[in-house]
Structure formats: structure tokens, C-alpha cells
Short mmCIF file of all heavy atoms in Angstrom, two decimals:
data_model
loop_
_atom_site.label_atom_id
_atom_site.label_comp_id
_atom_site.label_asym_id
_atom_site.label_seq_id
_atom_site.Cartn_x
_atom_site.Cartn_y
_atom_site.Cartn_z
N PHE P 1405 -4.41 -2.08 15.31
CA PHE P 1405 -3.67 -1.58 14.15
C PHE P 1405 -2.56 -2.54 13.72
O PHE P 1405 -2.33 -2.73 12.53
CB PHE P 1405 -3.09 -0.21 14.45
CG PHE P 1405 -2.30 0.38 13.32
CD1 PHE P 1405 -2.93 0.86 12.19
CD2 PHE P 1405 -0.92 0.46 13.39
CE1 PHE P 1405 -2.21 1.41 11.15
CE2 PHE P 1405 -0.18 1.01 12.36
CZ PHE P 1405 -0.83 1.48 11.23
N SER P 1406 -1.88 -3.14 14.68
CA SER P 1406 -0.76 -4.01 14.36
C SER P 1406 -1.19 -5.28 13.63
O SER P 1406 -0.33 -5.99 13.09
CB SER P 1406 0.01 -4.39 15.63
OG SER P 1406 -0.81 -5.12 16.53
N SER P 1407 -2.47 -5.58 13.60
CA SER P 1407 -2.95 -6.76 12.90
C SER P 1407 -3.34 -6.46 11.46
O SER P 1407 -3.74 -7.38 10.73
CB SER P 1407 -4.14 -7.38 13.63
OG SER P 1407 -5.27 -6.54 13.58
N TYR P 1408 -3.23 -5.20 11.02
CA TYR P 1408 -3.65 -4.80 9.69
C TYR P 1408 -2.46 -4.66 8.75
O TYR P 1408 -1.46 -4.04 9.10
CB TYR P 1408 -4.39 -3.46 9.71
CG TYR P 1408 -5.52 -3.35 10.70
CD1 TYR P 1408 -5.86 -2.12 11.24
CD2 TYR P 1408 -6.26 -4.46 11.07
CE1 TYR P 1408 -6.90 -2.00 12.14
CE2 TYR P 1408 -7.31 -4.35 11.97
CZ TYR P 1408 -7.63 -3.12 12.49
OH TYR P 1408 -8.67 -3.00 13.39
N ARG P 1409 -2.61 -5.20 7.55
CA ARG P 1409 -1.69 -4.87 6.48
C ARG P 1409 -2.14 -3.54 5.89
O ARG P 1409 -3.33 -3.33 5.63
CB ARG P 1409 -1.67 -5.96 5.41
CG ARG P 1409 -0.68 -5.71 4.30
CD ARG P 1409 -0.45 -6.96 3.48
NE ARG P 1409 -1.67 -7.40 2.81
CZ ARG P 1409 -1.77 -8.53 2.14
NH1 ARG P 1409 -0.72 -9.36 2.06
NH2 ARG P 1409 -2.91 -8.86 1.56
N MET P 1410 -1.21 -2.63 5.68
CA MET P 1410 -1.54 -1.28 5.23
C MET P 1410 -0.98 -1.01 3.84
O MET P 1410 0.06 -1.55 3.46
CB MET P 1410 -0.99 -0.24 6.21
CG MET P 1410 -1.47 -0.40 7.64
SD MET P 1410 -3.26 -0.15 7.81
CE MET P 1410 -3.40 1.57 7.31
N GLY P 1411 -1.67 -0.14 3.12
CA GLY P 1411 -1.23 0.19 1.78
C GLY P 1411 -1.48 1.65 1.43
O GLY P 1411 -2.26 2.34 2.09
N TRP P 1412 -0.79 2.10 0.39
CA TRP P 1412 -1.00 3.43 -0.19
C TRP P 1412 -1.35 3.25 -1.67
O TRP P 1412 -0.70 2.48 -2.38
CB TRP P 1412 0.24 4.30 -0.08
CG TRP P 1412 0.50 4.86 1.28
CD1 TRP P 1412 1.30 4.36 2.25
CD2 TRP P 1412 -0.05 6.08 1.81
NE1 TRP P 1412 1.30 5.17 3.35
CE2 TRP P 1412 0.47 6.24 3.12
CE3 TRP P 1412 -0.93 7.05 1.31
CZ2 TRP P 1412 0.15 7.32 3.93
CZ3 TRP P 1412 -1.25 8.12 2.12
CH2 TRP P 1412 -0.72 8.24 3.41
N PHE P 1413 -2.35 3.98 -2.12
CA PHE P 1413 -2.74 4.04 -3.51
C PHE P 1413 -2.78 5.50 -3.93
O PHE P 1413 -2.83 6.40 -3.10
CB PHE P 1413 -4.11 3.40 -3.74
CG PHE P 1413 -4.13 1.90 -3.66
CD1 PHE P 1413 -3.99 1.26 -2.44
CD2 PHE P 1413 -4.29 1.13 -4.80
CE1 PHE P 1413 -4.01 -0.12 -2.35
CE2 PHE P 1413 -4.32 -0.25 -4.73
CZ PHE P 1413 -4.17 -0.88 -3.51
N ARG P 1414 -2.81 5.73 -5.23
CA ARG P 1414 -2.97 7.09 -5.73
C ARG P 1414 -3.83 7.08 -6.97
O ARG P 1414 -3.92 6.08 -7.69
CB ARG P 1414 -1.62 7.73 -6.03
CG ARG P 1414 -0.86 7.10 -7.20
CD ARG P 1414 0.52 7.71 -7.32
NE ARG P 1414 1.26 7.20 -8.47
CZ ARG P 1414 2.52 7.51 -8.75
NH1 ARG P 1414 3.19 8.34 -7.95
NH2 ARG P 1414 3.11 6.99 -9.82
N GLN P 1415 -4.48 8.20 -7.23
CA GLN P 1415 -5.34 8.33 -8.39
C GLN P 1415 -5.21 9.73 -8.97
O GLN P 1415 -5.50 10.72 -8.30
CB GLN P 1415 -6.79 8.03 -8.03
CG GLN P 1415 -7.71 7.94 -9.23
CD GLN P 1415 -9.04 7.29 -8.89
OE1 GLN P 1415 -9.45 7.27 -7.74
NE2 GLN P 1415 -9.71 6.75 -9.89
N ALA P 1416 -4.77 9.79 -10.22
CA ALA P 1416 -4.65 11.04 -10.94
C ALA P 1416 -5.90 11.26 -11.78
O ALA P 1416 -6.61 10.30 -12.12
CB ALA P 1416 -3.41 11.02 -11.82
N PRO P 1417 -6.19 12.50 -12.14
CA PRO P 1417 -7.38 12.78 -12.96
C PRO P 1417 -7.38 11.97 -14.25
O PRO P 1417 -6.38 11.94 -14.97
CB PRO P 1417 -7.27 14.28 -13.25
CG PRO P 1417 -6.50 14.81 -12.09
CD PRO P 1417 -5.50 13.74 -11.76
N GLY P 1418 -8.48 11.31 -14.53
CA GLY P 1418 -8.61 10.53 -15.75
C GLY P 1418 -7.90 9.19 -15.74
O GLY P 1418 -7.89 8.51 -16.76
N LYS P 1419 -7.32 8.80 -14.61
CA LYS P 1419 -6.60 7.54 -14.52
C LYS P 1419 -7.21 6.66 -13.43
O LYS P 1419 -7.91 7.13 -12.55
CB LYS P 1419 -5.12 7.78 -14.22
CG LYS P 1419 -4.38 8.57 -15.29
CD LYS P 1419 -2.92 8.75 -14.95
CE LYS P 1419 -2.17 7.44 -14.92
NZ LYS P 1419 -0.72 7.62 -14.65
N GLU P 1420 -6.91 5.37 -13.53
CA GLU P 1420 -7.39 4.43 -12.53
C GLU P 1420 -6.56 4.53 -11.25
O GLU P 1420 -5.43 5.01 -11.27
CB GLU P 1420 -7.32 3.00 -13.07
CG GLU P 1420 -8.20 2.73 -14.27
CD GLU P 1420 -8.11 1.30 -14.76
OE1 GLU P 1420 -7.31 0.52 -14.18
OE2 GLU P 1420 -8.83 0.94 -15.69
N ARG P 1421 -7.16 4.08 -10.16
CA ARG P 1421 -6.43 4.08 -8.90
C ARG P 1421 -5.25 3.11 -9.01
O ARG P 1421 -5.41 1.96 -9.43
CB ARG P 1421 -7.35 3.69 -7.75
CG ARG P 1421 -6.73 3.90 -6.37
CD ARG P 1421 -7.79 3.86 -5.27
NE ARG P 1421 -8.75 4.95 -5.42
CZ ARG P 1421 -9.64 5.28 -4.50
NH1 ARG P 1421 -9.69 4.62 -3.35
NH2 ARG P 1421 -10.48 6.27 -4.71
N GLU P 1422 -4.08 3.56 -8.61
CA GLU P 1422 -2.83 2.84 -8.81
C GLU P 1422 -2.21 2.45 -7.48
O GLU P 1422 -2.12 3.25 -6.56
CB GLU P 1422 -1.86 3.71 -9.62
CG GLU P 1422 -0.48 3.10 -9.82
CD GLU P 1422 0.50 4.08 -10.44
OE1 GLU P 1422 0.25 5.31 -10.35
OE2 GLU P 1422 1.50 3.64 -11.03
N PHE P 1423 -1.72 1.22 -7.41
CA PHE P 1423 -1.01 0.76 -6.22
C PHE P 1423 0.33 1.46 -6.09
O PHE P 1423 1.09 1.56 -7.06
CB PHE P 1423 -0.80 -0.75 -6.29
CG PHE P 1423 0.11 -1.29 -5.23
CD1 PHE P 1423 -0.33 -1.41 -3.92
CD2 PHE P 1423 1.41 -1.68 -5.53
CE1 PHE P 1423 0.50 -1.90 -2.93
CE2 PHE P 1423 2.24 -2.18 -4.56
CZ PHE P 1423 1.79 -2.29 -3.25
N VAL P 1424 0.64 1.92 -4.89
CA VAL P 1424 1.89 2.62 -4.63
C VAL P 1424 2.81 1.80 -3.75
O VAL P 1424 3.97 1.55 -4.10
CB VAL P 1424 1.63 4.00 -3.99
CG1 VAL P 1424 2.95 4.66 -3.60
CG2 VAL P 1424 0.85 4.89 -4.94
N ALA P 1425 2.31 1.39 -2.58
CA ALA P 1425 3.15 0.67 -1.63
C ALA P 1425 2.29 -0.06 -0.62
O ALA P 1425 1.13 0.29 -0.39
CB ALA P 1425 4.10 1.63 -0.91
N ALA P 1426 2.86 -1.08 0.02
CA ALA P 1426 2.19 -1.81 1.07
C ALA P 1426 3.21 -2.27 2.10
O ALA P 1426 4.40 -2.39 1.80
CB ALA P 1426 1.43 -3.02 0.50
N ILE P 1427 2.73 -2.54 3.31
CA ILE P 1427 3.60 -2.96 4.38
C ILE P 1427 2.89 -3.99 5.25
O ILE P 1427 1.69 -3.88 5.51
CB ILE P 1427 4.07 -1.74 5.22
CG1 ILE P 1427 5.15 -2.14 6.23
CG2 ILE P 1427 2.88 -1.07 5.91
CD1 ILE P 1427 5.85 -0.94 6.85
N SER P 1428 3.63 -5.01 5.68
CA SER P 1428 3.06 -6.05 6.53
C SER P 1428 2.76 -5.50 7.92
O SER P 1428 3.16 -4.39 8.28
CB SER P 1428 4.01 -7.24 6.61
OG SER P 1428 5.26 -6.86 7.16
N ARG P 1429 2.07 -6.29 8.73
CA ARG P 1429 1.55 -5.78 9.99
C ARG P 1429 2.63 -5.31 10.96
O ARG P 1429 2.41 -4.37 11.73
CB ARG P 1429 0.65 -6.82 10.65
CG ARG P 1429 1.33 -8.14 10.98
CD ARG P 1429 0.35 -9.08 11.66
NE ARG P 1429 0.98 -10.33 12.07
CZ ARG P 1429 0.38 -11.24 12.82
NH1 ARG P 1429 -0.87 -11.04 13.24
NH2 ARG P 1429 1.03 -12.36 13.14
N TYR P 1430 3.79 -5.92 10.94
CA TYR P 1430 4.87 -5.51 11.82
C TYR P 1430 5.98 -4.76 11.09
O TYR P 1430 7.00 -4.41 11.69
CB TYR P 1430 5.46 -6.71 12.55
CG TYR P 1430 4.48 -7.36 13.51
CD1 TYR P 1430 4.07 -8.67 13.33
CD2 TYR P 1430 3.97 -6.65 14.58
CE1 TYR P 1430 3.16 -9.26 14.20
CE2 TYR P 1430 3.07 -7.23 15.46
CZ TYR P 1430 2.67 -8.54 15.27
OH TYR P 1430 1.77 -9.11 16.14
N GLY P 1431 5.78 -4.51 9.82
CA GLY P 1431 6.75 -3.75 9.05
C GLY P 1431 7.93 -4.53 8.53
O GLY P 1431 8.87 -3.94 8.01
N SER P 1432 7.89 -5.84 8.65
CA SER P 1432 9.03 -6.65 8.22
C SER P 1432 9.12 -6.79 6.71
O SER P 1432 10.20 -7.06 6.18
CB SER P 1432 8.97 -8.03 8.86
OG SER P 1432 7.76 -8.70 8.52
N SER P 1433 8.00 -6.60 6.01
CA SER P 1433 7.97 -6.72 4.55
C SER P 1433 7.33 -5.50 3.95
O SER P 1433 6.31 -5.01 4.44
CB SER P 1433 7.22 -7.98 4.12
OG SER P 1433 7.83 -9.15 4.63
N THR P 1434 7.91 -5.01 2.86
CA THR P 1434 7.35 -3.88 2.13
C THR P 1434 7.28 -4.20 0.65
O THR P 1434 8.06 -5.02 0.14
CB THR P 1434 8.19 -2.61 2.33
OG1 THR P 1434 9.54 -2.86 1.92
CG2 THR P 1434 8.17 -2.19 3.79
N TYR P 1435 6.36 -3.54 -0.05
CA TYR P 1435 6.13 -3.78 -1.46
C TYR P 1435 5.88 -2.44 -2.14
O TYR P 1435 5.26 -1.54 -1.56
CB TYR P 1435 4.93 -4.71 -1.67
CG TYR P 1435 4.96 -5.93 -0.79
CD1 TYR P 1435 4.43 -5.89 0.49
CD2 TYR P 1435 5.51 -7.13 -1.23
CE1 TYR P 1435 4.45 -7.01 1.32
CE2 TYR P 1435 5.54 -8.24 -0.42
CZ TYR P 1435 5.01 -8.19 0.86
OH TYR P 1435 5.04 -9.30 1.67
N TYR P 1436 6.33 -2.31 -3.39
CA TYR P 1436 6.22 -1.05 -4.10
C TYR P 1436 5.80 -1.26 -5.54
O TYR P 1436 6.17 -2.25 -6.18
CB TYR P 1436 7.54 -0.29 -4.08
CG TYR P 1436 8.00 0.07 -2.70
CD1 TYR P 1436 8.88 -0.74 -2.00
CD2 TYR P 1436 7.55 1.24 -2.09
CE1 TYR P 1436 9.29 -0.42 -0.72
CE2 TYR P 1436 7.96 1.57 -0.81
CZ TYR P 1436 8.83 0.74 -0.13
OH TYR P 1436 9.24 1.07 1.14
N GLY P 1437 5.02 -0.32 -6.04
CA GLY P 1437 4.70 -0.32 -7.45
C GLY P 1437 5.93 0.04 -8.27
O GLY P 1437 6.83 0.74 -7.80
N ASP P 1438 5.95 -0.43 -9.51
CA ASP P 1438 7.12 -0.20 -10.36
C ASP P 1438 7.43 1.28 -10.56
O ASP P 1438 8.59 1.67 -10.68
CB ASP P 1438 6.92 -0.87 -11.72
CG ASP P 1438 6.95 -2.39 -11.64
OD1 ASP P 1438 7.51 -2.92 -10.66
OD2 ASP P 1438 6.43 -3.03 -12.56
#
């Protein structure tokens, strides 16, 4: 698990799947959708 970069996406009815957040393998870096 610690070797995987992980992310969250979301999808609302009638909309495309949207990027929400991501985190590096050790949690040192995070990224967020606007």
C-alpha cells in the first residue's frame, strides 16, 4: 500500500467523473481539485 499514490474522485448524475484529491505514497504531498 505504501508504494501506491492514492486519489479520490466523484461523479454526480449527468456529469463526468471529477478529480477531488490525491496523496503521495508517504503522505508528504497532497493535491486538490479547485
Side-chain angles (χ1 to χ4, degrees):
F1405 180 72
S1406 63
S1407 68
Y1408 308 151
R1409 183 165 63 186
M1410 303 295 297
W1412 284 95
F1413 287 72
R1414 67 186 183 185
Q1415 189 164 22
K1419 298 181 65 177
E1420 297 181 358
R1421 190 165 297 191
E1422 176 188 21
F1423 171 74
V1424 175
I1427 188 167
S1428 60
R1429 60 179 184 172
Y1430 294 118
S1432 59
S1433 299
T1434 57
Y1435 313 87
Y1436 298 94
D1438 290 339

